[in-house]
Amino acid sequence: MEENLAAEWNRKSWVESANDSSCGFPLQSLPYCIFTTEDSRPHPGIGIGDSILDLQICNRTGLFEGLPRPVHTACDARTLNPLIACGSAAHAMLRTRLMHLLDEAADPSTRHSVAAALVSKQAAKLLKPVEPANYTDFYASIDHATRVGELFRPDNPLLPNYKHVPIGYHGRASSIVVSGTEIRRPSGQTKPSEGSLPNFGPTRFLDYELEVALYIADGNPLGEPIPIREAANRIFGISLLNDWSARDLQAWEYQPLGPFLAKSFATSVSPWVVPFAALAPFRVPARICPSFDSSDGPLPYLFDGIDQYTGAIDLTVEAWLQTPAMRAAGRPAHRLSEASLAELWWTPAQLIAHHTSNGCNLLPCDLLATGTISNREDSSAGCLLELTVGGAQPIQLPSGETRRALEDGDEVILRGICRRNGYPEVSLGECRGIVAPAL
């Protein structure tokens, strides 16, 4: 199996820019997007090197002949929803066809036809790729949970249910926006100190959360859980996600039912959706590998040996910050943190298996987020709440500025990339957002 994987990843494309091992968009990745140009309305494409392959043109010129009819219809859609709803079998057939069309072994006639459907990334505007019907945000990083717990419960930072129950909450799908969308500073209730009355106004502790989004391909009927062994196969692809958070609003409102207005004002997603199939070389063992009957092990419905061996994803994620003063001075963004998705306590398959364990029906295009991705090292903390120890220790920026929380005009940039020796890099692109003043 490893030999077959290596053979596939040694293939080259006739699109020369895709053969640069550090380009992030090789033949084996082919991330989906929704884009528009001056001459077209929104429709699907895939990233290849420094270009976008227009799936609408490919379909209209007969390059997708023989593929299932729903795929043809999806190539004219304004979102990826119809394509995702085609199901895993159709996704695999489309991916095989795309790799064949772009492979360096393609004949001259095929190359000529496909070249007519290539668009420069610089000439395209990337839009929100998916309209999720539902959005669930998890809390899958044990290091994030522990570090945040230490702020509020120094003697008992990790609650006893954490190692057994994948914690999550239902988010707001309507306020999910694409990278580059301005993020308006929210207002809400806060309670500054013990004994004081609450007040209403703009948040004074706006934060970001570095996360990864999982888009569901095949859902499940109401009342029928998805077994852990099948769960990973239900993932269409992944993207970067920024779960913007108003920490002072959250501190006042979260008890007893959890996040509400502190989270629902905006969630940013990157415009690229990397197919789950493209992550095969980067599937690694989960952080925990106990037997399910150990004290720290998951219950049987969350345990699968194959998932423990290949269920995590070796993806490096980074958070960067550029302030207005840095932009004005021509200074580049400053990296705040770097962490690995592989260090999560729960795998993507475990999140799906638990989500559906009570019979909850996931739908195609539903979005599940990992929660803040942090690792053991303090420099890996995926939000300002952790990096500044609840605002008590402001971070120092190369510009001489400090930050306890995000200020108006600050831009947060999330990046993600998979690396493995002997394989080209696979990039998730960027997820950006600039903070705008409160109304």
Side-chain angles (χ1 to χ4, degrees), residues 1 27 32 37 82 148 175 212 230 247 271 311 321 340 362 395 426:
M1 182 176 178
L27 174 66
Y32 290 96
T37 65
V148 171
S175 54
V212 164
E230 300 176 14
R247 300 300 188 185
L321 177 68
S340 172
L362 296 180
I395 57 173
V426 169

Side-chain angles (χ1 to χ4, degrees), residues 6-87:
E8 177 178 322
W9 281 76
N10 281 328
R11 294 168 64 179
K12 301 292 184 182
S13 173
W14 56 265
V15 179
E16 288 298 329
S17 59
N19 298 326
D20 179 347
S21 62
S22 62
C23 81
F25 290 75
L27 174 66
Q28 295 79 5
S29 179
L30 305 182
Y32 290 96
C33 69
I34 292 293
F35 76 103
T36 185
T37 65
E38 291 183 356
D39 302 323
S40 68
R41 65 171 181 78
H43 58 283
I46 60 107
I48 178 72
D50 59 8
S51 300
I52 295 174
L53 181 63
D54 189 322
L55 299 190
Q56 186 180 70
I57 293 178
C58 288
N59 184 52
R60 292 180 178 179
T61 54
L63 292 171
F64 292 161
E65 184 178 350
L67 293 181
R69 183 176 296 277
V71 172
H72 297 278
T73 303
C75 288
D76 285 324
R78 292 176 176 267
T79 71
L80 294 178
N81 290 44
L83 180 61
I84 294 175
C86 289

